[in-house]
């Protein structure tokens, strides 16, 4: 059975939807960060597959930028989570709501 | 692409992007300086100086023909220079307001200025991008710096919470944005915006292309704070340090709108998406203006007002014409001065010890007689934000509503005018509280005089709004220049 482009696109869209649902329905901030990473990596898979199919390198170049940005985002995100935990002793997003209408 | 000449071409292109390079290098110098001499006295002055120099250089190139640099990755001159100049103006005014503010709350740290410069770098790249890769890199450089700047006051739980919400929703929207880029790339086979346009016509029934464009729009709507993707805006604006809020609300929106204009203008045909933008503009104007009425915190009210103003700019974009785009760009210029001024005024009227995030508007009753200069300037900002005729905001609204009417969105312009009338209620209520109410209790007013530099910036903003209002010829010059420069560069680049 030959692996066509659609297999990769289907797999990456399933991964992306998994990440989206994880972000929307999990209340632990660390798990939400992991879901975001999953979304970004699903997009990386899409980009590499499309880039390979089109025989064009621009998509793969963007993947390198995405990897760097994901690393920077993880660093900043974890720093913010630590600051939140120091102040409140919790990383449950539903318990962090000090602003009101 | 001829790579044997790559270095020569890179070096010659550097001459076109001197402001960008200056700002990155100064940012790095400040990081080093702050590491060896923490809170060195020269850091704010160095930041302001480099921003002023870069602004001067960009203003000089506004008149030039637009072009591209670095193998067509970013645009220079013309519209790009104008957008960069607006961003740099916002940065320069914010730095001058930030210094006394951060000194007062004892947070005058070097990182604040370095992050400001790095985020401006991202904004300039975003606002002058010519390729989806550049847009992504610029957007993320800007966003990550802004997440950290929101959390600058680490001891304040509210600021950290704002940063957390901003970060989580920002990173989530980045995922959608990126998926949109990937699908657009797959459908068109190119990352270059002008090349995409040619690829669309042959595949106009392509699901991948339209799904990609929809996801990209979701990402953009999040960054400009348009409804229904505005949820983060009030919390972030309320929790962040006030001059930084002013900076975020103006410069980052200018950059994101400029980038959206580039995508819509170069990459996709207008008649296919402008109905969607019109509906988003409608929802955004109604949500922003209606919710702002019930706010008791001034910063939160201005946050909803900034959502409403994003809606007005989207009205201009929905026209899908050169006039609409130039109107939107003009509006961002006026909006920059109005909003930086308004946030600057309230930055020096805070006495709750939590950067104004818990201070009620009522507690400012009668402050107009205690801080007369700032309060008189506030009259200018509030009337201009509401869109009253002698001020710049009025002509800004004409500049975005008129092209929409020409494009057939008369209902949209009517709703825009009606919601502006609603907005007059909550803007003028601020002035009523400032001048016509007696304080109902004893408040611990900060009686220390406002620093001269900050007062000068606020008065300057008020003056510029008045000039933009009483001399509409400036608008005509700007607008005609922009509509022509966009068309000519479009002709140069196929």
């Amino acid at each position: 059975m030959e692996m066509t482009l659609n297999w990769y696109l289907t797999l990456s869209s399933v991964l992306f939807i998994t990440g989206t649902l994880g972000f929307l329905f999990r209340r632990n901030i660390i798990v939400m960060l992991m879901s975001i990473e999953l979304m970004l990596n699903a997009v990386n898979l899409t980009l590499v597959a499309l880039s390979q199919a089109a025989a064009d390198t621009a998509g793969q170049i963007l993947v390198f930028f995405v990897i760097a940005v994901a690393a920077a985002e993880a660093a900043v995100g974890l720093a913010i989570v630590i600051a939140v935990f120091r102040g409140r002793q919790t990383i449950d997003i539903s318990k962090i709501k000090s602003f009101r209408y | 692409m001829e790579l044997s000449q790559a270095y020569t071409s890179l070096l010659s292109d550097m001459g076109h992007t001197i402001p960008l390079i200056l700002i990155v290098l100064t940012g790095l110098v400040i990081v080093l300086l702050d590491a060896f001499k923490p809170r060195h006295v020269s850091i704010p002055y160095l930041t302001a100086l480099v921003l002023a120099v870069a602004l001067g250089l960009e203003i000089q190139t506004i008149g030039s023909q637009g072009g591209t640099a670095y193998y067509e990755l970013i645009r220079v001159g013309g519209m790009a220079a104008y957008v960069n100049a607006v961003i740099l103006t916002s940065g320069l005014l914010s730095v001058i307001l930030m210094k006394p503010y951060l000194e007062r709350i004892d947070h005058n740290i070097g990182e604040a200025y370095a992050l400001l410069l790095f985020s401006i770098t991202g904004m300039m790249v975003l606002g002058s991008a010519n390729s989806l890769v550049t847009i992504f890199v610029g957007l993320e450089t800007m966003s990550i710096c802004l997440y950290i700047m929101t959390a600058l006051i680490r001891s304040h739980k509210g600021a950290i919470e704002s940063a957390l919400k901003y970060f989580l929703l920002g990173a989530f929207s980045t995922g959608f944005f990126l998926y949109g880029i990937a699908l657009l790339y797959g459908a068109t086979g190119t990352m270059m915006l002008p090349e995409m346009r040619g690829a669309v016509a042959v595949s106009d029934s392509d699901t991948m292309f339209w799904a990609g464009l929809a996801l990209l729009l979701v990402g953009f709507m999040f960054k400009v704070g348009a409804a229904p993707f505005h949820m983060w805006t009030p919390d972030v604006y309320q929790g962040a340090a006030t001059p930084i809020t002013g900076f975020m609300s103006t410069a980052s929106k200018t950059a994101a709108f400029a980038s959206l204009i580039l995508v819509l203008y170069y990459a996709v045909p207008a008649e296919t998406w402008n109905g969607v933008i019109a509906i988003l503009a409608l929802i955004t104007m109604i949500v922003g203006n209606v919710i702002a009425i019930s706010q008791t915190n001034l910063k939160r009210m201005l946050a909803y007002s900034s959502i409403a103003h994003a809606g007005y700019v989207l009205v201009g974009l929905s026209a899908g014409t050169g006039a609409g785009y130039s109107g939107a760009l003009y509006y961002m210029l006026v909006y920059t001065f109005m909003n930086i001024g308004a946030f600057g005024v309230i930055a020096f009227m805070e006495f709750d010890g939590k950067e104004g995030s818990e201070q009620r508007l009522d507690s400012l009753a009668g402050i107009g007689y205690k801080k007369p200069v700032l309060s008189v300037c506030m009259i200018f900002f509030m009337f201009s934000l509401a869109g009253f005729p002698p001020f710049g905001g009025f002509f800004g609204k004409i500049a975005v509503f008129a092209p929409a009417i020409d494009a057939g969105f008369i209902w949209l312009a009517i709703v825009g005018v009606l919601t502006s009338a609603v907005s007059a209620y909550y803007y003028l209520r601020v002035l009523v509280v400032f001048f016509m109410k007696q304080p109902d209790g004893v408040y611990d007013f900060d009686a220390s005089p406002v620093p001269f530099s900050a007062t000068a910036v606020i008065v300057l903003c008020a003056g510029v709004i008045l000039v933009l209002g009483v001399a509409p010829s400036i608008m005509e010059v700007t607008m005609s220049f922009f509509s022509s420069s966009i068309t000519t560069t479009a002709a140069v680049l196929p």
Side-chain angles (χ1 to χ4, degrees):
Chain A
M1 191 160 45
E2 200 193 346
M3 299 289 280
T4 59
L5 175 63
N6 279 345
W7 288 63
Y8 294 102
L9 294 185
T10 311
L11 173 64
S12 64
S13 64
V14 168
L15 285 174
F16 188 84
I17 292 168
T18 312
T20 312
L21 294 178
F23 181 88
L24 291 175
F25 293 111
R26 296 301 291 266
R27 299 278 62 109
N28 184 310
I29 302 173
I30 302 286
V31 178
M32 292 168 86
L33 281 179
M34 287 159 60
S35 302
I36 290 170
E37 293 291 314
L38 189 61
M39 289 167 74
L40 293 183
N41 284 320
V43 178
N44 281 348
L45 186 60
T46 315
L47 278 169
V48 172
L50 290 170
S51 184
Q52 186 70 23
D56 181 78
T57 51
Q60 293 174 29
I61 291 169
L62 180 55
V63 169
F64 283 111
F65 283 113
V66 176
I67 292 171
V69 162
E73 252 178 8
V76 171
L78 289 174
I80 293 175
V81 172
I82 289 171
V84 167
F85 185 76
R86 278 195 184 141
R88 296 166 191 269
Q89 318 300 323
T90 179
I91 49 167
D92 185 337
I93 193 77
S94 55
K95 289 183 182 144
I96 300 171
K97 42 182 179 186
S98 55
F99 292 117
R100 291 274 169 212
Y101 287 98
Chain B
M1 193 185 288
E2 184 53 57
L3 283 180
S4 61
Q5 299 296 317
Y7 282 110
T8 349
S9 139
L10 270 185
L11 284 176
S12 66
D13 279 349
M14 277 186 181
H16 299 295
T17 53
I18 292 173
L20 196 61
I21 295 168
L22 265 183
I23 286 177
V24 179
L25 290 181
T26 317
L28 294 173
V29 166
I30 288 176
V31 168
L32 279 178
L33 188 62
D34 191 57
F36 290 103
K37 293 189 186 291
R39 300 191 181 202
H40 194 267
V41 67
S42 68
I43 289 175
Y45 298 103
L46 187 60
T47 313
L49 177 72
V50 74
L51 286 172
V53 170
L55 177 61
L57 290 171
E58 287 290 2
I59 287 177
Q60 277 184 340
T61 54
I62 285 181
S64 70
Q65 178 80 20
T68 57
Y70 301 120
Y71 290 105
E72 299 188 5
L73 280 176
I74 69 170
R75 310 184 65 79
V76 292
M79 172 182 159
Y82 171 83
V83 172
N84 288 348
V86 176
I87 294 167
L88 289 166
T89 310
S90 168
L92 179 60
L93 298 176
S94 299
V95 165
I96 302 173
L97 291 171
M98 256 166 80
K99 181 179 175 286
Y101 184 88
L102 292 180
E103 276 171 355
R104 196 186 70 207
I105 57 174
D106 195 27
H107 269 82
N108 194 26
I109 45 181
E111 293 101 293
Y113 300 95
L115 285 168
L116 184 99
L117 289 177
F118 291 140
S119 69
I120 288 180
T121 312
M123 289 166 189
M124 288 169 75
V125 170
L126 175 64
S128 54
N130 198 36
S131 145
L132 289 176
V133 178
T134 329
I135 290 184
F136 176 73
V137 173
L139 186 77
E140 285 308 299
T141 313
M142 169 184 101
S143 300
I144 291 177
C145 292
L146 290 181
Y147 303 149
I148 312 174
M149 284 172 79
T150 309
L152 200 65
I153 321 293
R154 264 197 307 177
S155 51
H156 178 200
K157 273 191 198 174
I160 297 288
E161 179 179 334
S162 296
L164 178 73
K165 285 180 177 167
Y166 195 13
F167 169 78
L168 283 177
L169 291 174
F172 187 56
S173 79
T174 297
F176 285 100
F177 192 82
L178 199 57
Y179 206 32
I181 290 180
L183 293 183
L184 281 180
Y185 170 67
T188 60
T190 176
M191 290 279 185
M192 297 295 173
L193 296 179
E195 288 172 20
M196 276 187 172
R197 198 182 185 89
V200 181
V202 291
S203 59
D204 54 353
S205 62
D206 192 342
T207 324
M208 197 189 239
F209 180 82
W210 295 113
L213 184 63
L215 287 168
L216 195 73
L217 277 182
V218 169
F220 269 121
M221 291 305 126
F222 176 88
K223 290 296 169 192
V224 301
F229 310 102
H230 66 284
M231 301 304 178
W232 59 277
T233 319
D235 288 350
V236 171
Y237 285 14
Q238 192 178 359
T242 312
I244 292 175
T245 309
F247 172 69
M248 284 197 301
S249 69
T250 54
S252 75
K253 280 194 184 187
T254 307
F257 269 121
S259 177
L260 180 58
I261 289 172
L262 290 171
V263 170
L264 295 181
Y265 189 79
Y266 286 114
V268 285
E271 57 279 5
T272 46
W273 49 260
N274 59 1
V276 178
I277 298 269
I279 291 168
L280 287 170
L282 177 80
I283 304 171
T284 309
M285 286 189 297
I286 293 176
V287 166
N289 281 315
V290 170
I291 303 184
I293 294 175
S294 62
Q295 300 307 316
T296 53
N297 179 285
L298 197 47
K299 275 170 92 176
R300 202 172 177 88
M301 187 211 89
L302 281 177
Y304 280 106
S305 117
S306 89
I307 294 172
H309 285 272
Y312 301 142
V313 177
L314 284 176
V315 172
L317 295 193
S318 71
T321 56
Y325 299 136
S326 59
L329 288 177
Y330 175 78
Y331 198 92
M332 290 319 293
L333 175 71
V334 180
Y335 176 73
T336 297
F337 284 104
M338 294 190 296
N339 236 31
I340 291 214
F343 277 109
V345 169
I346 61 174
F348 294 98
M349 290 183 177
E350 289 170 3
F351 43 87
D352 64 347
K354 292 191 171 171
E355 292 81 48
S357 65
E358 292 179 5
Q359 186 168 330
R360 297 173 63 84
L361 176 59
D362 302 340
S363 67
L364 293 174
I367 203 168
Y369 302 100
K370 296 196 176 75
K371 293 189 189 289
V373 179
L374 295 192
S375 302
V376 168
C377 289
M378 197 66 165
I379 299 178
F380 284 59
F381 302 135
M382 289 296 124
F383 272 96
S384 183
L385 282 166
F388 276 80
F391 301 103
F394 174 69
F395 289 103
K397 277 189 183 146
I398 290 183
V400 290
F401 288 162
I405 293 172
D406 291 340
F409 291 109
I410 297 172
W411 51 275
L412 193 58
I414 291 174
V415 174
V417 172
L418 287 178
T419 50
S420 301
V422 170
S423 76
Y425 168 74
Y426 61 80
Y427 288 129
L428 299 189
R429 195 183 56 175
V430 173
L431 301 180
V432 169
V433 170
F434 272 27
F435 290 102
M436 295 171 198
K437 285 243 169 92
Q438 295 302 316
D440 55 354
V442 180
Y443 292 105
D444 182 22
F445 279 110
D446 179 13
S448 61
V450 180
F452 173 74
S453 58
T455 314
V457 163
I458 291 166
V459 171
L460 175 77
C461 286
V464 170
I465 288 170
L466 199 59
V467 169
L468 289 171
V470 296
S473 59
I474 294 175
M475 176 182 73
E476 284 161 23
V477 171
T478 334
M479 283 185 67
S480 64
F481 162 68
F482 279 103
S483 48
S484 68
S485 90
I486 286 178
T487 352
T488 44
T489 42
V492 171
L493 293 167

